[in-house]
Amino acid sequence: MEITLDALLQSRDNRHALQQQLLQQHPGSTLVCLTVVMPGSVKRNLYSVVTAQAALTALLDRLGEHVTATHARDLATGYEAYLITDLPVLDAKRVTCDIEDSHPLGRLFDIDVMDTIGVPITRLSVGRQPRRCLLCDHEARWCMRNHSHSQEELMAHIRQLIEDYVR
């Protein structure tokens, strides 16, 4: 199912509202938010589902008993998972960066750790470099801004990553 830009923007607004609600319901806790990197207008497909399940499993394995609550939504605009943890914000960010950097599908995971008012903690704040492009050595944001790669190139690489992981 193709998603319109309006639907995608509404989904981001809804995600932000839910993040604020979860932060209010769990004061003093750290909020970890998971989405899947899936370029293009189709956000929910077999590849995104496999990636989301791998990401959630990795998060639950690594955060373990520190997870005090979870909430997940499998939407046409993409899978979302929210984990409440008792880890300090920077410790949680280090764990999520480790997952993104070491898991075979980690580059397809978008894991945000939010501070108490819902501002995402940066990779730089825990001594990590910005994320690299899926296809080249540039910063991912640079390639996105400059449209350095076609959607077809990105999707072919993503499919190959996931197929290799499943084998």
Side-chain angles (χ1 to χ4, degrees):
M1 173 181 201
E2 288 194 21
I3 300 302
T4 65
L5 179 58
D6 286 342
L8 191 58
L9 293 174
Q10 183 62 51
S11 145
R12 288 182 183 171
D13 289 345
N14 294 344
R15 188 165 46 249
H16 177 74
L18 180 56
Q19 291 167 352
Q20 292 301 311
Q21 177 185 343
L22 290 168
L23 285 166
Q24 288 175 1
Q25 290 173 351
H26 302 277
S29 294
T30 298
L31 175 61
V32 177
C33 304
L34 163 69
T35 56
V36 172
V37 174
M38 192 59 54
S41 59
V42 177
K43 300 297 183 188
R44 190 192 185 288
N45 55 37
L46 177 60
Y47 297 107
S48 67
V49 171
V50 168
T51 303
Q53 289 307 307
L56 185 58
T57 298
L59 278 169
L60 291 172
D61 285 350
R62 289 293 304 276
L63 296 174
E65 72 274 0
H66 294 286
V67 175
T68 59
T70 60
H71 182 80
R73 303 192 304 185
D74 189 2
L75 308 168
T77 52
Y79 184 85
E80 302 172 3
Y82 305 87
L83 291 80
I84 304 297
T85 176
D86 59 13
L87 284 176
V89 174
L90 294 179
D91 290 347
K93 184 63 178 180
R94 284 184 197 93
V95 169
T96 62
C97 286
D98 286 346
I99 293 169
E100 288 175 340
D101 293 345
S102 67
H103 193 282
L105 297 180
R107 186 54 195 87
L108 305 178
F109 304 165
D110 187 3
I111 309 171
D112 290 328
V113 175
M114 316 304 272
D115 70 11
T116 56
I117 59 170
V119 176
I121 303 301
T122 67
R123 292 174 63 87
L124 293 174
S125 67
V126 293
R128 300 294 179 101
Q129 294 297 312
R131 294 187 82 180
R132 310 312 293 173
C133 173
L134 280 164
L135 300 175
C136 71
D137 199 39
H138 287 293
E139 257 187 56
R141 290 182 193 266
W142 187 89
C143 287
M144 287 173 33
R145 271 194 306 272
N146 292 297
H147 305 285
S148 299
H149 311 288
S150 72
Q151 184 176 323
E152 292 78 22
E153 288 176 293
L154 290 167
M155 284 307 299
H157 184 72
I158 288 170
R159 281 191 294 272
Q160 190 63 55
L161 280 175
I162 296 167
E163 288 168 6
D164 290 348
Y165 174 74
V166 171
R167 278 188 214 125

